[in-house]
Amino acid sequence: MTARVGVVTFPGSLDDGDAARAVRIAGAEPVRLWHGDPALHGVDAVVLPGGFSYGDYLRCGAIARFAPVMESIVDAARGGLPVLGICNGFQILCEAHLLPGALTRNQHLHFRNRDQVLRIETVGTAWTNAFQPGQEVLIPVKNGEGCYVADAATLDQLEAEGRVVARYLGGNPNGSQRDIAAITNEAGNVVGIMPHPEHAVEELTGPSLDGLGFFTSALKHLVGAPA
C-alpha cells in the first residue's frame, strides 16, 4: 500500500508544492493539509514546508505553531508520527517545542540563497536512514532567519545524544552554532532542517538528487514500523 505523506499549507507557505512533488517522486502519495483544519486524514508522515507562514509576524513560525493543524501534528509526533520541518517548518517545530533551540536572524543580516554542502551526521532517524554516516550532500539553502542557536547545555546534549543530523561544510551560510544545519528529537521521528532537500530531487531543477534521500528514508522507516 502506498504511504500517504501530508504536506501542510499555511498562509505564506512557499514550498508546499515542491515538497508535495518531492514526496511523489520518492514514491509516496502527497496529501495536502490545510492550516485551519485539524484533521490529518490518516497520513503516515507529515512535511512542514518552507516559506513565510503568516508573514513571519512576531517571529518566524510563532503564529503557525498555534494553527489547528499543528495541535494535531504535535500530538501525533509525540506518538511517533514522522515529521520533517524544512526551513520555516524547522522554525515552526522549534516554536512548537518539538525540537529545542531557535532559528534567529542570519548573523551577517543578509538573505542567503546558494547550493550548500552538508555532512550527514546521524542516519538513525526516520528521515535520514537512506544515507551513510558522514555522507556529503549538496542541497540548496535559502533563508534570512536560519541561524540555529541554543544554550551550551542543549548543544552539548544534542552532540552527546547524536541528535545533530547535518552540519554545514565549506562555509556556514547563516552563523548557526556548531555549523548545525539539522537536528532531531530524542525518538528520531521529528527532524528539522534549514536547507531545502525538496529542491534537490530532479536533475532538471536541482544541483543534485541528494535531497531525495530524506523522503525515501521516511518510506523506508514506514515499511519497517510496527503496524
Side-chain angles (χ1 to χ4, degrees), residues 90-101:
F90 188 1
Q91 295 161 343
I92 295 169
L93 290 176
C94 290
E95 290 287 343
H97 306 296
L98 286 175
L99 293 175

Side-chain angles (χ1 to χ4, degrees), residues 196-209:
H196 288 261
E198 79 281 16
H199 294 329
V201 297
E202 292 182 291
E203 291 182 357
L204 179 64
T205 58
S208 72
L209 302 179

Side-chain angles (χ1 to χ4, degrees), residues 2-132:
T2 303
R4 303 173 77 244
V5 179
V7 179
V8 179
T9 297
F10 299 97
S13 289
L14 177 65
D15 298 311
D16 46 338
D18 296 286
R21 183 173 179 81
V23 166
R24 186 179 298 109
I25 291 171
E29 176 189 350
V31 178
R32 305 305 289 264
L33 303 178
W34 184 243
H35 70 107
D37 182 359
L40 298 184
H41 302 286
V43 298
D44 303 300
V46 166
V47 176
L48 301 178
F52 307 92
S53 59
Y54 297 93
D56 281 348
Y57 287 108
L58 299 183
R59 291 185 308 276
C60 300
I63 299 177
R65 173 258 184 275
F66 292 103
V69 74
M70 281 305 301
E71 295 181 17
S72 302
I73 290 171
V74 168
D75 288 343
R78 288 174 176 159
L81 181 77
V83 179
L84 176 67
I86 303 170
C87 196
N88 188 222
F90 188 1
Q91 295 161 343
I92 295 169
L93 290 176
C94 290
E95 290 287 343
H97 306 296
L98 286 175
L99 293 175
L103 285 307
T104 63
R105 186 71 177 163
N106 292 351
Q107 280 192 344
H108 43 67
L109 305 182
H110 295 286
F111 189 92
R112 280 291 180 267
N113 182 6
R114 72 187 193 195
D115 297 333
Q116 177 69 48
V117 178
L118 308 177
R119 182 174 64 237
I120 303 297
E121 302 281 18
T122 301
V123 298
T125 81
W127 299 94
T128 55
N129 60 69
F131 297 103
Q132 296 297 319

